[in-house]
Amino acid sequence: MTGTKHTGHPAVSWVPTLYLAEALPYTAVMVISVIMYKDLGLTDGQIAFYTSWLSLPWVVKPVWSSIVDNLRTKRWWILTMQYFLGCALALVAFSLQTHWWLQLSLALFMLVAFSSATHDISADGFYILALDEQEQSAFVGVRNTFYRVGMLVGQGALVLLVGFLAFNEMRMSWAIAFGVLAGIMLLLALSHTLTLPRGMEEERHQRFLLRQQLAELVETLKCLLTKPHLTSALAFILLFRLPEGMLAKMVPLFMKTAQAEGGLGMSNVEVGFVNGTLGVIGLLAGGIVGGLLVARYGLKRCLWPLVLCFTLPDLVYLFLSLHTDANLAVISACVSVEQFGYGMGFAAYTLFLIGFSRGERATAIFSICTAGQFLGGAVLPGMVSGWISDSVGYVSFFSIVMVLCLVTFAVTAAVRIRE
């Protein structure tokens, strides 16, 4: 593309809010729901199992991405999903006051997850269509920053809000928080109704032909299967995040669990500040540093140092499980170090996915790779993490996580990097 093909507001008026809107529902499903269900009395095993299923839409979204690409316009999909997400999050708030709150909230979270995954497809596609290559490069930092801001609002500010409300009936506190989140989504949808540009030439109404889409999928799979060093690359994609996938669900639960039961006994205010604020800032800073290192020295030279940064800081949770009386400053430092290291390692992992996908049908192959990332790094380890933690306790669980870092080392040693 040689230039923008749209009319309307400049990119600065919609790119930041578009990626804020992309982050909020994802954070609600993947992080906030975990903390909420802990407050409402579910066990670690139940929470990890139920909420890991909610990751599935991001695993299978390549299946219906062609529908989004070929039916209606991406602008239409963005606005429709944002209004729907606002309504669905409002229904989550109402569901918490019903007798069937658990079943209803889980069903609504699954609807939010599917809608959020669909919104991801349309938003990323719209970004590419609406901006020329120079603008895409100029705004990549803006979109990433505001995605992290969305995470700060979700797992930081909203959890802090619940802590400050502190009603005797915890479900009321969470209902108010989700009502606030629903209001933010609806305001973003209204804003984008006014500011999202119109008139891209690529945005045509097309007929969806199942036979044609199946043929496209087959061709994509053929391209994927002819990639060099395929076996080691797929092992790397699926298993690199295994230790982190075990931690993701359990860290906020460990923070919330009472000290008498082996946890840190933190309040929602403390969890929102440490995990949702300092942790996200550390993650963002680590991602920036990791990207700069790879840009300067290349992925091949930086891979092992960044892998060590990704895995070794997980030791902080084993340390905290052995020192559950640690003060807030120590906990904050531990979480910030771990998230900074995770951000550095994940930057290398993402750049590997981009490099592996490069070539014919790069976009479709990258979508499949990110689906594999969710499957191996979120869904499967998340489903068993709670059961393991309930069975052996936090100290043994975090010890198992450190042993699983050997899996990350093994797939890193096997993978082949092309500069």
Side-chain angles (χ1 to χ4, degrees):
M1 188 181 298
T2 57
T4 53
K5 300 184 179 182
H6 65 80
T7 59
H9 294 77
V12 71
S13 68
W14 57 268
V15 171
T17 52
L18 180 62
Y19 283 89
L20 180 65
E22 186 171 311
L24 287 173
Y26 175 82
T27 306
V29 171
M30 300 296 290
V31 181
I32 303 176
S33 65
V34 173
I35 301 171
M36 182 189 77
Y37 286 132
K38 182 69 172 181
D39 279 343
L40 300 184
L42 273 66
T43 67
D44 288 3
Q46 290 172 322
I47 295 169
F49 183 78
Y50 293 152
T51 59
S52 292
W53 279 106
L54 299 177
S55 307
L56 277 177
W58 285 278
V59 176
V60 300
K61 73 178 182 180
V63 175
W64 76 88
S65 60
S66 59
I67 299 177
V68 177
D69 287 338
N70 290 283
L71 285 182
R72 309 289 300 196
T73 67
K74 291 180 177 60
R75 186 181 188 276
W76 182 89
W77 280 105
I78 289 170
L79 296 177
T80 301
M81 290 302 103
Q82 287 181 3
Y83 281 113
F84 183 83
L85 284 164
C87 295
L89 289 168
L91 288 174
V92 170
F94 284 114
S95 73
L96 295 177
Q97 300 304 304
T98 68
H99 181 68
W100 301 96
W101 62 270
L102 177 58
Q103 295 87 339
L104 284 174
S105 62
L106 284 171
L108 288 166
F109 276 132
M110 184 59 80
L111 286 176
V112 170
F114 271 105
S115 303
S116 179
T118 304
H119 181 270
D120 292 354
I121 298 167
S122 53
D124 292 340
F126 189 86
Y127 179 86
I128 294 171
L129 288 175
L131 304 179
D132 62 27
E133 291 180 5
Q134 184 178 359
E135 288 175 316
Q136 290 174 35
S137 299
F139 279 93
V140 69
V142 174
R143 57 180 276 184
N144 291 342
T145 298
F146 275 85
Y147 191 91
R148 300 303 181 193
V149 170
M151 294 177 66
L152 282 170
V153 172
Q155 65 191 72
L158 284 174
V159 177
L160 282 167
L161 174 63
V162 173
F164 287 130
L165 290 173
F167 289 120
N168 290 331
E169 176 52 64
M170 185 58 72
R171 282 192 278 168
M172 176 59 72
S173 299
W174 279 105
I176 293 173
F178 273 99
V180 170
L181 183 58
I184 294 173
M185 282 302 303
L186 290 173
L187 286 174
L188 288 169
L190 179 61
S191 170
H192 292 142
T193 302
L194 301 174
T195 60
L196 283 185
R198 303 171 182 268
M200 277 80 73
E201 292 180 10
E202 291 84 352
E203 293 277 38
R204 301 188 187 96
H205 295 269
Q206 302 179 34
R207 290 199 314 165
F208 177 76
L209 301 176
L210 179 59
R211 182 182 301 174
Q212 178 183 344
Q213 298 307 318
L214 289 175
E216 290 288 323
L217 177 60
V218 169
E219 289 302 316
T220 299
L221 291 176
K222 286 182 179 178
C223 289
L224 175 63
L225 294 174
T226 56
K227 290 282 185 181
H229 311 297
L230 179 65
T231 302
S232 61
L234 292 180
F236 186 82
I237 291 167
L238 288 170
L239 298 175
F240 179 83
R241 291 182 59 200
L242 179 60
E244 185 269 334
M246 297 287 287
L247 286 176
K249 298 291 183 186
M250 299 311 303
V251 167
L253 300 178
F254 168 61
M255 291 178 171
K256 293 274 299 169
T257 299
Q259 290 185 6
E261 299 173 9
L264 296 177
M266 297 170 66
S267 67
N268 279 330
V269 172
E270 292 170 328
V271 172
F273 174 69
V274 173
N275 199 40
T277 304
L278 297 180
V280 174
I281 293 172
L283 178 66
L284 177 59
I288 293 171
V289 172
L292 291 173
L293 288 173
V294 173
R296 182 180 180 95
Y297 299 107
L299 181 58
K300 195 168 187 176
R301 291 178 62 186
C302 290
L303 183 61
W304 271 107
L306 293 180
V307 167
L308 294 175
C309 291
F310 183 80
T311 53
L312 295 184
D314 293 347
L315 279 168
V316 300
Y317 296 116
L318 180 58
F319 168 80
L320 290 174
S321 68
L322 294 168
H323 300 84
T324 56
D325 58 347
N327 60 40
L328 189 62
V330 172
I331 296 171
S332 300
C334 287
V335 172
S336 297
V337 167
E338 186 272 330
Q339 285 293 288
F340 182 81
Y342 171 68
M344 292 182 69
F346 192 73
Y349 179 67
T350 302
L351 290 167
F352 171 81
L353 297 186
I354 294 171
F356 176 75
S357 304
R358 192 171 290 132
E360 188 179 357
R361 299 182 178 271
T363 302
I365 291 175
F366 184 76
S367 180
I368 293 173
C369 289
T370 55
Q373 170 202 165
F374 268 101
L375 181 64
V379 178
L380 298 180
M383 290 175 67
V384 300
S385 60
W387 174 78
I388 295 173
S389 175
D390 284 345
S391 300
V392 302
Y394 288 120
V395 174
S396 297
F397 173 78
F398 292 125
S399 300
I400 291 170
V401 169
M402 293 311 303
V403 172
L404 290 176
C405 291
L406 296 175
V407 176
T408 301
F409 296 156
V411 296
T412 302
V415 78
R416 298 292 179 266
I417 303 294
R418 293 184 298 166
E419 289 296 351

